[in-house]
Every structure is written in C-alpha cells, then in structure tokens.
Amino acid sequence: MNLSPHFSANLNVQLLAASLEAMGVEHIVFSPGSRNGALMMHFNALNSFKTYVLVDERSAAYTALGMAQKLKKPVVICCTSGSAAANYYPAVTEAFYQNIPLIVLTTDRPRKFIDQFNGQTIRQENLFEKHTYHNENLLEGDDDETLTGNFLSLKKSVTKCIEKSGPVHINFPLAEPLYEKVSDLKIHFEKLTLPRTEKPKIRFKDFEKIVTESQKIMFLVGMHDFDAEFNSLVEEISALPNVIFLTENTSNLHTKAIISQIDNALFTMPRERKKDFAPDLLITLGQNIISKKIKNFLRENPPKTHWHVDPYWHPDTFYVLSKKIQAKSVEFLQGFKNLKLEEKSNYRSIWLNLKEEKNNRQAAFLENTSFSDLKVFEKIIQNLPQNIQLHYSNSSVIRYAQLFEHEASIQVFCNRGTSGIDGSTSTAIGHAMLSKRQTTLVTGDLSFFYDSNALWNKYIPSNFRIILINNGGGDIFKIIPGPSETGVLNEFFFTPHQLNPLHLANLYHFKYLEANNLDELQQQLNSLWQGNKPKILAVNTYNQDNSGILKEFMKA
C-alpha cells in the first residue's frame, strides 16, 4: 500500500471495491480517462487488487479476456464514458460466445446529461445487452437505501458472471467532483460466499436404448480446455469399435485412435463413400468447430440423433439437435463409458484406415513442397517447444494449423467465439501476463497489423514470442470460394500492403528476426525461444503461390 493512501471519498466507489474484493475478484484492467479517475486512484491504493493500465480500450478488453481465459476467474475492465465503452464490444462478444468471465465496468455521466450534447456521453445503459449475461445500471446517491441497492446489483452481477462464466456489464454514473480523497475507508466487508446454481443430474438410462442400437457413434469435439481426465476418458472410449472421435487442435485432446485433422480426412472423399462415414448418433462436446468441411458433411449426411453436451451452449449447428445435455464433458463421458455399446461394427476402423491413407499421401506431398505458407506451418509446428501455450490468430492461420499434429504437451488457444482477426495478439499477451509457461502467438499479417496496439503494453513478459506469417495480404480470400470470381479480388479482398513489422518491433522493443526461405526459417526457429526479451519472427512468404500449393495439397 502507498505510504499515504489515496482512497476515494465517493462511497459508491468504496462500495464497488469492497464488494469485488469480498467476492474474490483480484485483477482489473483500466484504460485511462477522467470519469473513471476516482476508481483508478482508489483501486491502486488497495493491496487486494492487481491493477493494469492499457490505453486502447479495444485492446485492453481482449487483454483482460486472455487473462480471464488463463485464470478461469472474473477479470474487470474499466473505462471512462462515451466511445471508450463502445470499444469494448468486440471482446465482449468473444467472451460471450467463449464463456470467458469478464466484468465490464463502464463509468458514465449522470443520467440527466445523456443526449444533451455533453462531451463523452452516449447511451451506455444496457449497451452490451445482446451479448452479456447480466446488466446493471448503478444508482446515483450515497444514502443507505441507494448504497444497499447498489450492493445487491453488484452481487447479482458477479454471481451471474461466475455462474454463466461469461461477461456482465455494470454501468456506473459518477457526478463531479470526481477526485475527493480520504485516508480511511468507511465501507468494507468480510468475504462473501456467492450462491451457486445446482445443475441437473444426467439420467444415463434415458440414453441407453439409442446408444445400444447405434452402429456408428461419432464424437465431435470443438474448442475445449486441456483436461487430463478428459483425455484419459477419450482414450478409453475411442477403443470401442463403433465409436470415432473427431477433434481439432483447439480441442486439446491427444490420443492415436482419433481423427485430429478433420479436413485432411475429408479432402476428396468420394460422394458414394460419405454414407459409410456418416454417424447414426452424433455427440458434440465443447464449443465452436473450425472445420467447415465437417459442418457441411454432417448437414448433407445428417445423423439420426444429435446430442450436444455443454454446461452453457446448446446450438443446433447441424439442424437435427435431439437433446441438450447440460453437463461438463468429463461428467458425460464418465457415465457414457458404463453404457452397453454395440461390439460388432467397423465404424472406427474405416475412419482410422482413411486417416492412414490420407496421412501417407499428404506426407509424400509435403516432402516435395517448396517454401510456402503450408511448408512454413509444417516446419513451425515440428519445432515448437514442449509445454508451451500456443495461440493462433484467426482466418487462414488457424485453418493451416488444423492440418498438422501438435505435440501433446502444448495447449492450443484461438478466439473462435466470434472468429474475428481483431484481438488475437492482445488475447495472447493477456494470457501470457498471468502465466509462468512460455506463450507463443502464430499470426497472419493482417491480424498482426490490425491489433498492433496490443504491443503498447508494459506488462508483456520477456518470454513472449510472435511468429508472423507475412504473405502480403489476406491470402485466405484466394483460398475460399467466391472472392476470386468478383473481379476485385486484390483491391477489396486480398488488400496487399507494404507494411514492415520491423518498425513495430523497434517501436515496442521487441527483438526482430526474419526468414525468407526454409533454411533461414530453421535457423531462426533454433534460437527463437532462447533469451529474455520478447521476439517477433517474421516469415515472408508473399512471393510464393501459397493458395495454389494449398489447393494441390487438398487434392493429395
């Protein structure tokens, strides 16, 4: 604590801090401004909070998202009034669809100033309503009744943030004077125990008949945190002859008897074979699936039954959802393994034979592939250190990553809630700030430059690394169907640029490395994770036929 603590004289500010402390919140990311100045002064004077200051609200919110992703606990973001609050919205949507607990605290002008042409004043109340789990507008005034009402609003907000593991919004109107100080606190609480909602128990007897009659059971696992017990259960269940697990690297599952490169298996699959591979029973676990191919495959060849298992979301992604199962993946698999399953089936074997067949052909193709995005990803993934946290940006980067096996000790993350390119660097840095493990971000050039304010952050750890795949623009638009037929591919989609990441590296004190061919890439990868300074490795592939080589790989 400071020698002369500067506590806010505002009782609602004291109430806010005391309430958050009592409910176990510890981290708060501020973006500077006048209206939230009293909060910055007050929280900084308290031993119980770890405070951070990041100027760009959009980047600050994504950074806090990465912190909450690491902690699995709420992190607060706090800004001044006006457009500052609106800049939080992209990260709020990501937190909403990824179920990451954010407390969005926006300070505001008093209600009487709204829509009266006062500076930095917009309609902040319920600003994020469509993408939050709870919204409160604190009341103005410091009488006992108002303070009690505000305490109950704060308690509801934090409770819902934890219960839903997602964002909540607290709008906090503050009248001037803003900076009156006191040396003693009038409001403090003991630790509060928050109410927990009991989730319904799974009745596995209800599932037994369908499971017993299913010759072909497919588990499709989307985004999922690493869990050793989950991995062990998958390994056990995937040995059953009528069961196949399809996963992605964001599923964080590692066992041999699964299809972990979905697109590789589905490339060039003949139409007449698809019925053999389509499931009778589809069980989806976790969140967003990256592969469009599996989505199209299951929509064109729908299962008879589809169950989705998740504590929060139950989307009807394939338009045949039969049952919503509100449970964690581990809890479901623990019960599933005890059900009686069909023992005479070749479903598992036909998928694993397909996997081996495709792997052999694709490995032969890669052996003869020249320097390109595809070859660069193969080389990077082969050289990743063990036990790191690996973040991928969106667009083509995460799709290339799906084509290769990852070492089992590596934990993989990507912002697939809304799948935007706008906050990948900030999220990775936020994650790294609270982790003892080495964190590496693999990103594309547009995503990197778009989120360059992420580097304007004094808390970046010395072991943070960025691998930048610089193909000179949005190369994904040369891969996906449609843009190349418009006649304006380069100008409006690919958007070529001449930006040099070296200047950003120098500006933000990153060590800069560069590779323009495979030999240089291997040389730089050999030393990338050594040393005690953040590094950017730019791999320049902009003179290569990246999209053409990828399309040939798909045909292999």
Side-chain angles (χ1 to χ4, degrees), residues 108-121:
D108 201 356
R109 261 58 176 174
R111 184 184 293 271
K112 66 183 180 180
F113 292 155
I114 308 300
D115 291 342
Q116 302 304 320
F117 285 4
N118 285 286
Q120 290 183 279
T121 307

Side-chain angles (χ1 to χ4, degrees), residues 237-307:
I237 295 169
S238 63
L240 297 167
N242 64 333
V243 172
I244 192 68
F245 276 81
L246 272 62
T247 74
E248 299 183 311
N249 51 45
T250 47
S251 309
N252 288 296
L253 280 169
H254 302 279
T255 179
K256 290 183 179 180
I258 61 176
I259 307 299
S260 55
Q261 283 81 52
I262 297 172
D263 284 359
N264 297 32
L266 293 178
F267 288 149
T268 67
M269 178 183 281
R271 181 175 295 275
E272 63 272 13
R273 294 191 68 189
K274 289 184 177 180
K275 288 294 181 185
D276 296 333
F277 290 88
D280 300 324
L281 170 60
L282 171 67
I283 302 172
T284 48
L285 306 170
Q287 295 187 326
N288 211 308
I289 295 289
I290 297 162
S291 171
K292 285 187 177 181
K293 290 190 178 298
I294 192 61
K295 290 177 184 176
N296 290 335
F297 175 82
L298 290 168
R299 287 167 183 164
E300 293 168 4
N301 304 275
K304 297 173 186 174
T305 306
H306 173 205
W307 302 335

Side-chain angles (χ1 to χ4, degrees), residues 95-96 98-102 133 160-167 312:
F96 181 70
Q98 237 191 102
N99 285 103
I100 293 177
L102 277 186
Y133 287 100
K160 193 62 72 171
C161 181
I162 294 170
E163 177 191 323
K164 294 291 187 180
S165 187
Y312 310 108

